[in-house]
Amino acid sequence: MTNERFDPSVADRRWQAAWDEARCFEADSDSNKPKSYVLEMFPYPSGRIHIGHVRNYTMGDVLARYRKMRGDEVLHPMGWDAFGMPAENAAMEKGVHPAGWTYQNIETMKGQLKQLGFALDWSREFATCDPEYYGHEQALFIELFENGLVYRKESEVNWDPVDMTVLANEQVIDGKGWRSGAEVEKRKLNQWFLKITDFADELLAGVQALESWPQKVRLMQENWIGKSQGLEFAFELSNGETLPVYTTRPDTIFGASFVAVAADHPVAQAVAANNCEAAKFIAECKRGGTTAAELETAEKLGFDTGIGAKHPFTGEHLPLFIANFVLMDYGTGAIMAVPGHDQRDFEFATKYALPIPRVVAASVEDAGEPFDGEAEAGDGVIVNSDFLSGMEVEAAKREVITRAEAGGWGKGTTVWRLRDWGVSRQRYWGTPIPFIHCDDCGVVPVPQDQLPVKLPEDVDFSKPGNPLLRHPTWKDVACPKCGSDAQRETDTLDTFVNSSWYFLRFASQPADKPFDAAEVAKWMPVDQYIGGIEHAILHLLYARFWTRALARCGKLDVKEPFASLFTQGMVTHETYSRKDGAREEYFMPADVDRTGDGATLKADGKPVQIGKVIKMSKSKKNVVDPEDIIRDYGADAVRWFMLSDSPPERDLPWSEAGIEGCGRFVQRLWRLFGHYDPTASGEDKGLARKTHQTIAAVADDIEALAFNKAVARLYELTSATEKAAPSEDRNHAIRSLLLMASPMMPHLAEEGWQAMGESGLVSEAAWPDVDPSLLVEDEVTIAVQHMGKLRDTLTAPKGASKETLEALALASEKVQRSIDGAEIRKVIVVPDRLVNIVA
RNA sequence: GCGGGCGUGGCGGAAUGGUAGACGCCGGGGACUUAAAAUCCCCUGAUCCUAUAGAUCGUGUGGGUUCGAGUCCCACCGCCCGCACCA
């Protein structure tokens, strides 16, 4: 073997080509090996790969390559989440077609992923904007429709009156359209919905059982689904109507001092119809901002309708208000207000001088305690409440529900925060919703043999609005049922639908249907899913819902798509900036020289301010382009950096010094591989032990996705091996290092494998075996403490008796000096670990 | 407000209740070299000191449990994230 430097600019390409040639990462659905499905969240083809993709896909790649070495049949696919608004924006801004723009980006980004040497099964690649994919999606959508899981409903959208278009919530900034700056209006449109609320219960129970998901994500989903239990009951109103309300605190019913409805509640609307003061108040409520800060400080406002609501137990008439803090879309849009034990009600009652009775207290004796400026929402005993007085909160809740149900005026109910999923988007670049509107037959699904409903290519983006709607001919079709003139649906599906079943299509991709159930059953569930925490709620919840919905329709057997989930941290970098008048001007790291404590701009040599280490973002310019660093250091150094130092779930600070260290290590390993000497003989028991211990530990670390620890262990073994004299055990250590490093630095490993004279690809080699007898040391270091403080260490044979260790410890001069003749009261001996002398 | 997480050297971070700071980065010193690059070796928590020895302190703060606490318990402080007028 030569002593030349490892040259990634040559080796990377060579081995990437060799892997393609050997097709060694193509998954075989007919294999008898244990299966392993490793999946990273597929990217949106925005233009170029960013460093976050590199970190995400490197982690998945190490796991996929490792599992393959352990003998699994690995499915590790990649594709493109290709529908979405950036393509349409590009079409409007640059006059390019969304499809052309998207496929161009895919080509660029695929090339970048290839440069990183990921062990991906490219034979299964697809983009969600391929008509083949979205055609199957249309078939599934119709399937859900036929199973009663799709419906249409009037729903409010954000309407931009200048651009004549519907805006997503995130496109509305301070109540104005992001592009036009026009005041956004609320409009009602007929839209498509998926019945995710039908699955609220099982989605909640399911997420609670997903033990291999991060606790954080599980809690976020639980909160999002938001199950609450309470009592729904009706107030009789003085105008003869009834008003249903929902409460989670029926135990406090005797503390109710007013009733309130939302501004858009029918009762409020009815009052406003012949009371212009009320109408004015309602209009004012709608104007209020909805940002967190505004809500925080928003004053509780109400309008007294003059109507009375009859308390179900006391018969007393409570005043009925229209209140700005009551939400129409939660519960019944109306509440019984208990100011003593709900902070919002407390603030309202204080403002309008309404009674604030106490009905919960720390004890019966505290029934008369005044409130200390705020409501008391906590536990306690019920007071001032007729037959409930003296009961605990939970018992009182049950008692009131029982009486309400017996009296027929209310019932115990469960209320969910989760809403049905509105999937209609008035956009071009998405999956056309496969339905036809016929004047006579109503809404008719497009027949199977007419799928896919393809997007027209001759579209015009020069005008705002939905190009499908104003296309001259596309929407004109014959009704599939009666044959008369009808119109296509011009809405497209939310892009989250595309990512709700792509993992099934990766597992199985027949031409004539979305997937083959039997083939999917072989691969699903995904064994390890890896992606960003930003998808903790929507994407992961929708994908879980689609999987369950398809299972309910009999298309699938699996209920949870992702057995294990990992959310990786972001890549961060310090910022470089300079004050330019009042503005802060930022500079790219590539344009800055970092010197010791300071930094200077390359262009003028003058210093720049070094800012905080934050997430890489274009606006702060603290970004590094993966292609640049691959060119400078090679794919393996970049991959190694992504795995080093920071635990994978935490943020990883990018640094020039760090990547240089990784580049050095690549060369250092390469030199060590050069010391592989087939003629060497003799043994090195210590190194052999270290080698086997490392093999076992690195395997455990990779399985736990603790890549930073695996990296540290490989550094340690490298140092030990470098220092060792040539021997058979040293050769074994070098060969083992190469194999262990191969999932992380596959190009270097292949190059070394070939140089060692091994045949075939290291990517198809097996993980090194462990000799269990070499995992245990025969000598151990014993810590000797006096009163819990370390005084000495000594070496003893493994498994030495307590008596032996005690004697050895007491023989230590340092220990004796520390004890200094004091009386020994107790000696604690932990075999193979320590001796603590209490004196 | 509710829910969750995290606080360890100059920095990123290791550490089944048992030798705190593995490993990497930065920094310092040295070797090789005409020189540089590359590479290799040594040192690198703080303080004290009679300095190859030794001592004291040290994991956000204050208590507690224990022979022994970064780790377990209680209280507090700070930072980060998610949700949020959800009755």
Side-chain angles (χ1 to χ4, degrees):
Chain A
M1 201 184 263
T2 67
N3 279 325
E4 284 165 34
R5 288 172 66 78
F6 172 70
D7 182 1
S9 67
V10 177
D12 286 5
R13 261 164 229 274
R14 178 162 64 240
W15 295 110
Q16 285 156 16
W19 298 326
D20 279 347
E21 171 94 358
R23 301 167 68 161
C24 51
F25 306 124
E26 288 183 20
D28 177 7
S29 292
D30 297 323
S31 168
N32 290 322
K33 294 182 196 168
K35 70 97 181 179
S36 190
Y37 188 174
V38 178
L39 183 66
E40 299 100 56
M41 292 179 186
F42 66 163
Y44 177 77
S46 57
R48 297 179 68 76
I49 293 292
H50 58 73
I51 199 87
H53 293 124
V54 178
R55 191 175 190 204
N56 188 174
Y57 301 152
T58 299
M59 290 179 193
D61 201 53
V62 171
L63 188 66
R65 286 175 176 271
Y66 168 79
R67 293 255 170 100
K68 183 175 166 69
M69 294 180 87
R70 297 310 297 249
D72 288 357
E73 185 65 31
V74 173
L75 173 57
H76 187 217
M78 182 55 71
W80 310 93
D81 188 14
F83 275 135
M85 295 213 307
E88 270 184 75
N89 294 339
M92 286 186 270
E93 281 162 17
K94 300 171 196 158
V96 293
H97 193 279
W101 183 84
T102 302
Y103 283 108
Q104 180 62 53
N105 288 344
I106 287 173
E107 201 187 314
T108 305
M109 292 170 76
K110 184 176 179 181
Q112 294 182 308
L113 291 182
K114 287 246 171 191
Q115 287 177 38
L116 283 154
F118 293 135
L120 291 163
D121 181 353
W122 287 105
S123 74
R124 292 171 189 249
E125 175 193 10
F126 60 80
T128 57
C129 63
D130 297 341
E132 194 191 353
Y133 182 81
Y134 70 69
H136 292 309
E137 184 166 297
Q138 289 166 339
L140 291 175
F141 188 75
I142 291 169
E143 182 91 24
L144 297 187
F145 174 81
E146 282 162 356
N147 281 274
L149 295 173
V150 175
Y151 66 98
R152 277 162 65 76
K153 177 177 88 171
E154 265 221 328
S155 173
E156 271 190 352
V157 294
N158 304 305
W159 179 258
D160 185 321
V162 170
D163 279 356
M164 311 254 291
T165 189
V166 174
L167 299 178
N169 283 330
E170 54 272 25
Q171 294 175 313
V172 181
I173 296 151
D174 292 332
K176 299 195 173 75
W178 67 321
R179 205 170 269 282
S180 68
E183 195 86 16
V184 169
E185 297 168 8
K186 295 276 179 201
R187 270 212 184 177
K188 290 218 165 179
L189 289 183
N190 242 318
Q191 308 210 62
W192 294 88
F193 284 82
L194 285 175
K195 269 196 192 169
I196 190 171
T197 53
D198 259 28
F199 295 78
D201 240 326
E202 36 175 313
L203 286 169
L204 179 64
V207 83
Q208 285 166 341
L210 286 171
E211 284 170 17
S212 296
W213 279 38
Q215 187 65 21
K216 179 178 184 159
V217 174
R218 291 161 68 192
L219 283 166
M220 281 165 75
Q221 293 218 351
E222 280 177 34
N223 293 338
W224 189 261
I225 295 167
K227 182 179 190 172
S228 98
Q229 281 171 310
L231 170 71
E232 186 179 323
F233 71 98
F235 281 106
E236 286 174 30
L237 301 184
S238 57
N239 63 7
E241 294 182 34
T242 57
L243 175 68
V245 300
Y246 170 73
T247 179
T248 56
R249 293 295 302 273
D251 55 304
T252 62
I253 194 163
F254 285 94
S257 65
F258 65 99
V259 174
V261 297
D264 35 6
H265 193 281
V267 168
Q269 299 292 329
V271 170
N274 36 39
N275 181 332
C276 62
E277 284 295 307
K280 237 170 81 185
F281 176 77
I282 289 170
E284 212 160 292
C285 288
K286 288 198 169 180
R287 202 141 37 78
T290 50
T291 66
E294 282 169 309
L295 289 174
E296 190 76 38
T297 52
E299 201 178 355
K300 302 284 177 286
L301 295 173
F303 179 87
D304 190 343
T305 61
I307 299 171
K310 190 179 164 200
H311 191 286
F313 287 121
T314 66
E316 186 191 348
H317 274 79
L318 305 175
L320 174 66
F321 285 83
I322 302 167
N324 68 344
F325 69 93
V326 180
L327 304 175
M328 188 58 221
D329 61 357
Y330 185 79
T332 62
I335 59 162
M336 74 163 196
V338 184
H341 306 286
D342 181 284
Q343 185 58 25
R344 292 155 300 177
D345 301 351
F346 187 94
E347 287 167 28
F348 190 92
T350 307
K351 180 168 171 76
Y352 292 100
L354 296 159
I356 307 180
R358 172 182 287 281
V359 288
V360 182
S363 70
V364 181
E365 291 75 42
D366 297 326
E369 275 296 297
F371 289 100
D372 186 21
E374 56 181 23
E376 292 175 16
D379 243 351
V381 58
I382 306 295
V383 295
N384 305 324
S385 297
D386 194 356
F387 56 88
L388 292 179
S389 294
M391 285 180 154
E392 295 288 327
V393 164
E394 285 309 314
K397 281 182 184 172
R398 286 194 297 273
E399 177 65 21
V400 172
I401 290 171
T402 306
R403 289 193 185 220
E405 285 176 350
W409 50 269
K411 64 176 203 302
T413 45
T414 302
V415 168
W416 305 87
R417 208 191 84 102
L418 186 67
R419 298 278 94 93
D420 272 338
W421 176 14
V423 292
S424 281
R425 296 294 180 270
Q426 293 71 32
R427 303 255 149 222
Y428 168 76
W429 195 232
T431 302
I433 295 178
F435 281 84
I436 291 165
H437 300 278
C438 171
D439 287 341
D440 299 324
C441 311
V443 175
V444 183
V446 173
Q448 276 291 328
D449 60 8
Q450 291 173 30
L451 295 180
V453 177
K454 284 194 193 174
L455 290 165
E457 286 176 25
D458 52 333
V459 280
D460 170 20
F461 288 95
S462 63
K463 283 177 276 182
N466 182 355
L468 291 179
L469 191 58
R470 61 165 186 268
H471 189 280
T473 56
W474 183 75
K475 61 182 180 294
D476 300 322
V477 285
C479 169
K481 259 190 189 163
C482 69
S484 58
D485 287 353
Q487 297 218 307
R488 282 195 191 286
E489 170 64 61
T490 57
D491 284 356
T492 51
L493 289 172
D494 181 1
T495 55
F496 275 115
V497 173
N498 310 142
S499 52
S500 290
W501 70 284
Y502 77 107
F503 42 90
L504 301 174
R505 185 73 190 166
F506 274 147
S508 165
Q509 28 194 251
D512 60 338
K513 53 186 173 182
F515 51 83
D516 177 76
E519 193 181 11
V520 159
K522 283 188 184 168
W523 291 110
M524 288 294 288
V526 172
D527 295 279
Q528 183 66 59
Y529 197 34
I530 309 178
I533 187 74
E534 68 273 17
H535 292 114
I537 297 174
L538 295 183
H539 162 57
L540 290 167
L541 189 64
Y542 292 152
R544 293 182 58 227
F545 158 63
W546 266 73
T547 305
R548 280 175 188 271
L550 292 174
R552 191 181 286 183
C553 298
K555 309 285 281 184
L556 266 184
D557 277 331
V558 62
K559 289 205 167 135
E560 285 294 341
F562 313 121
S564 185
L565 173 72
F566 188 82
T567 55
Q568 96 274 5
M570 296 178 300
V571 182
T572 59
H573 195 288
E574 56 192 20
T575 60
Y576 306 109
S577 65
R578 225 181 245 172
K579 277 264 190 293
D580 179 23
R583 284 183 66 94
E584 195 79 12
E585 192 190 349
Y586 289 94
F587 303 102
M588 307 269 290
D591 298 331
V592 169
D593 272 323
R594 191 74 170 77
T595 51
D597 294 344
T600 55
L601 191 64
K602 282 179 183 167
D604 60 14
K606 291 179 187 157
V608 291
Q609 187 80 32
I610 299 173
K612 268 199 219 158
V613 177
I614 54 171
K615 181 187 179 174
M616 286 192 182
S617 78
K618 282 182 186 159
S619 64
K620 297 279 191 283
K621 292 198 180 171
N622 58 338
V623 290
V624 292
D625 189 318
E627 220 170 309
D628 292 345
I629 56 180
I630 294 166
R631 186 196 57 229
D632 291 348
Y633 301 98
D636 290 334
V638 172
R639 293 168 60 112
W640 187 252
F641 184 92
M642 291 295 127
L643 303 165
S644 303
D645 296 350
S646 289
E649 69 279 8
R650 283 204 220 165
D651 289 350
L652 171 69
W654 174 266
S655 78
E656 203 68 26
I659 184 68
E660 276 170 12
C662 293
R664 277 198 297 273
F665 184 65
V666 169
Q667 298 300 338
R668 196 173 146 200
L669 261 190
W670 177 245
R671 283 192 301 275
L672 183 59
F673 294 164
H675 287 112
Y676 184 81
D677 176 7
T679 65
S681 61
E683 62 173 28
D684 184 337
K685 206 66 185 280
L687 185 64
R689 262 206 186 88
K690 178 100 186 153
T691 304
H692 284 266
Q693 287 165 354
T694 303
I695 294 168
V698 167
D700 288 348
D701 289 338
I702 292 177
E703 270 161 30
L705 308 181
F707 304 112
N708 57 321
K709 293 189 220 169
V711 161
R713 290 186 210 284
L714 293 180
Y715 274 116
E716 277 188 80
L717 182 60
T718 300
S719 294
T721 309
E722 283 169 340
K723 290 187 179 98
S727 67
E728 282 179 59
D729 287 323
R730 186 174 189 241
N731 283 342
H732 178 251
I734 293 172
R735 192 173 182 280
S736 302
L737 265 170
L738 185 149
L739 286 165
M740 285 188 277
S742 70
M744 303 168 180
M745 301 192 281
H747 311 86
L748 173 74
E750 293 288 5
E751 196 82 2
W753 194 246
Q754 188 185 52
M756 274 179 199
E758 297 278 356
S759 61
L761 293 164
V762 74
S763 295
E764 302 199 282
W767 187 256
D769 287 328
V770 170
D771 179 349
S773 73
L774 288 174
L775 292 181
V776 287
E777 300 283 355
D778 50 13
E779 275 194 337
V780 289
T781 306
I782 305 287
V784 185
Q785 299 178 335
H786 171 217
M787 301 299 287
K789 289 195 180 204
L790 184 72
R791 294 299 164 191
D792 200 3
T793 57
L794 48 90
T795 306
K798 169 109 183 156
S801 72
K802 286 191 172 196
E803 292 72 23
T804 313
L805 291 175
E806 183 174 337
L808 278 170
L810 288 171
S812 157
E813 193 190 320
K814 288 176 187 172
V815 171
Q816 282 302 333
R817 206 188 313 149
S818 176
I819 294 171
D820 195 23
E823 182 198 348
I824 294 169
R825 282 176 289 159
K826 199 171 169 185
V827 178
I828 286 130
V829 182
V830 182
D832 297 336
R833 277 231 171 245
L834 66 64
V835 179
N836 187 14
I837 295 154
V838 185

